[in-house]
Amino acid sequence: MKKFIKFNIIAIVLLSSYSAISQQLPQFTQYMYNTISINPAYAGSRETLSLVALHRSQWVGLKGGPTTQTFSIHAPMRNEKVGLGLSFINDELGFENFTYIYADFSYTIHVNAKTKLAFGLKGGFTSYSIDQELRAAEPNDPAIFGIEDRWSPNIGAGVFLHTNKWYFGLSAPRILNTDYNGTNDYSALERVSYYLTGGYVFDVNKTVKFKPAFLVKATNGAPISYDLTANFLFNEKFWLGAAYRFNESAGAFGAIADFQVSKQLRIGYAYEHPISDIRPFSSGTHEILLMFEVFKSKRVKSPRYF
């Protein structure tokens, strides 16, 4: 039993982009609709109260594969220059669990009549814990690294330059290197990650729009990760597109479909198929997204495509 538990943990850690040695924020296929989780300057940019919930089941079929739930809420204040938000992430990988609760603040200035530049700050806490099942099975095992349940504070920052047609963002959502280890024998760090995002909306014709987007993630001690997506919007109602993620050791192809049920409600689904060594053991990754927005005023001056 002990050997099985050890093997299960080691296999998951070696095959994933996560690690108890260097923990990183989870990544999403539908990252363009969950931007506030990585960039606080995004808070309030949609010009209305916006709520987003997402569930991701990664590597379905592999026992202990990552599962992630996120929830965020953000909105501009009355003067429209200040935006506030709150984001929550629950990330489980095997016997490990990370919980993130962070508040977001943004301040926007007008570069010109169409372009806005927002500066953002993020602050909150990250919790790390290990399942009691593992603690009971291996109470003295050094593979657990002496880690204890705890809440650790952290901060982040970002900038977001955008119009109603394009955007660029640069952020570091966790600036502090947090050591979750309870001993001096080993370092289990939440390392600094840098995110570069961007996208553009092209008018193909009166009923079709094309939106390519990208996300580049650089983490100290880890390979650079690239996400590329291309989506078509039909009749302002239905998004359909493809995604590709790659780094030095892994990658995945994906498909995305989003439907604007009403002015307030959007439902999205994404599927990823791995192209790494984990492919024979998994049937893929699934994401479900719900976005709800409250329109109580004429503040929204144009459709929001990101």
Side-chain angles (χ1 to χ4, degrees), residues 55-186:
H55 174 84
R56 177 180 174 89
S57 295
Q58 187 169 342
W59 303 333
V60 173
L62 178 66
K63 185 177 181 180
T67 60
T68 307
Q69 300 83 36
T70 76
F71 176 78
S72 65
I73 178 171
H74 65 102
M77 298 296 98
R78 288 189 176 183
N79 64 5
E80 299 186 13
K81 292 184 178 180
V82 175
L84 297 179
L86 183 68
S87 55
F88 167 84
I89 301 174
N90 180 61
D91 189 32
E92 296 184 13
L93 171 59
F95 292 102
E96 297 181 293
N97 179 263
F98 281 82
T99 302
Y100 307 84
I101 300 178
Y102 282 78
D104 302 282
F105 169 86
S106 71
Y107 186 84
T108 300
I109 60 175
H110 289 264
V111 178
N112 54 44
K114 295 183 179 181
T115 308
K116 297 179 181 180
L117 176 62
F119 302 88
L121 294 174
K122 179 186 288 284
F125 296 88
T126 300
S127 169
Y128 179 68
S129 62
I130 293 179
D131 285 357
Q132 293 300 320
E133 180 183 352
L134 178 60
R135 290 186 181 277
E138 301 285 346
N140 301 312
D141 195 326
I144 301 177
F145 305 131
I147 296 171
E148 301 173 354
D149 295 350
R150 65 183 66 186
W151 288 87
S152 301
N154 214 322
I155 57 174
V159 294
F160 190 66
L161 181 68
H162 62 105
T163 69
N164 66 334
K165 285 288 188 179
W166 56 264
Y167 71 94
F168 286 100
L170 178 63
S171 62
R174 307 290 183 268
I175 293 177
L176 304 179
N177 282 332
T178 302
D179 189 350
Y180 298 107
N181 194 359
T183 73
N184 296 322
D185 299 328
Y186 204 89

